[in-house]
Amino acid sequence: TSARNAAIAAGVPVMPGSDAIADSAAVEAFVDEIGLPVILKAAMGGGGKGMRVVRNREDLVPFFESASSEALAAFGNGDVFVERYVERPRHIEVQIIGDGEGNVIHLWERDCSIQRRHQKVIEMAPAWSLPDELRADLHKYAVELTSAAKYKNAGTVEFLVDAQNRPYFIEVNPRIQVSLYCLDGLKGLITSDPADCNINFKTGFPRK
């Protein structure tokens, strides 16, 4: 995807993964390269639909067909991405806002690791027990990636962190998410409402 390519160009670590794949033979060929386990994700998806974790080779084609069918029904497109699967990762999101001229700030991060069926259940801000060096790296990666893209919007840069505290970029959600407001607890760190900032940027209100 364009976001993944932009992350690579910006020097942000990414999860080993494929472009969108439409047939089982291509899925098998890619898995031959990176090995198991992998996760299949709907290329046009979200909300946990069209996702399958494959740990055994005999499950690969049936799980691909199931994920592709679910993705087609939900999103009108049955293509999937194949990525290396990280067992029990932490899911960390960095909130950012950019003005479209390369000026981006981060509004700290939240931990979205408590999930059910790939859906977030509890989100915490700031991310509890995240090493300070890793926290700073995630903020830097999020800002550098979106600044290079001249991002104009509020948004969320999402990462997975493995058991060795190695981060991997997974996606940018280019919108305000309902979970934004769990950051309201960081009083004194965030001095303005990102939703207001986003409206001002979109309507051309003078930026300060």
Side-chain angles (χ1 to χ4, degrees):
T1 67
S2 58
R4 178 184 175 84
N5 292 336
I8 293 170
V12 177
V14 301
M15 189 71 68
S18 71
D19 294 330
I21 293 177
D23 65 86
S24 60
V27 169
E28 290 189 288
F30 187 75
V31 170
D32 286 341
E33 293 179 15
I34 69 168
L36 294 172
V38 297
I39 184 167
L40 310 176
K41 297 180 177 181
M44 302 298 291
K49 294 185 179 298
M51 298 180 72
R52 302 289 188 278
V53 176
V54 183
R55 293 183 173 87
N56 301 305
R57 186 61 186 243
E58 60 267 26
D59 293 329
L60 180 59
V61 172
F63 281 19
F64 163 74
E65 292 173 346
S66 175
S68 179
S69 177
E70 184 176 311
L72 182 61
F75 310 114
N77 185 308
D79 292 359
V80 302
F81 296 128
V82 184
E83 292 180 355
R84 179 170 293 155
Y85 182 65
V86 177
E87 298 282 357
R88 299 179 63 84
R90 294 185 70 175
H91 187 145
I92 308 296
E93 299 182 345
V94 179
Q95 185 71 49
I96 55 92
I97 190 161
D99 66 358
E101 297 177 1
N103 301 305
V104 178
I105 59 171
H106 75 79
L107 303 176
W108 301 86
E109 82 291 331
R110 50 187 179 261
D111 190 327
C112 312
S113 303
I114 299 176
Q115 301 185 10
R116 180 175 183 269
R117 297 179 180 175
H118 306 293
Q119 288 288 283
K120 302 160 194 171
V121 177
I122 297 175
E123 303 194 28
M124 296 174 283
W128 179 75
S129 78
L130 198 66
D132 288 341
E133 183 177 354
L134 175 57
R135 189 191 316 275
D137 283 344
L138 294 179
H139 294 167
K140 178 174 70 76
Y141 291 146
V143 169
E144 289 180 348
L145 169 58
T146 49
S147 178
K150 292 186 170 18
Y151 185 87
K152 183 179 181 180
N153 208 7
T156 303
V157 185
E158 302 194 17
F159 299 88
L160 294 182
V161 177
D162 69 14
Q164 288 74 45
N165 283 327
R166 294 175 297 198
Y168 301 96
F169 166 78
I170 51 174
E171 65 179 352
V172 175
N173 269 312
R175 63 184 184 276
I176 292 177
Q177 295 176 281
V178 294
S179 51
L180 163 69
Y181 290 98
C182 80
L183 289 164
D184 277 354
L186 303 180
K187 297 301 183 184
L189 298 178
I190 298 175
T191 57
S192 61
D193 187 331
D196 289 345
C197 291
N198 195 56
I199 292 170
N200 289 340
F201 287 163
K202 288 297 188 181
T203 58
F205 190 82
R207 296 181 289 278
K208 296 181 181 179

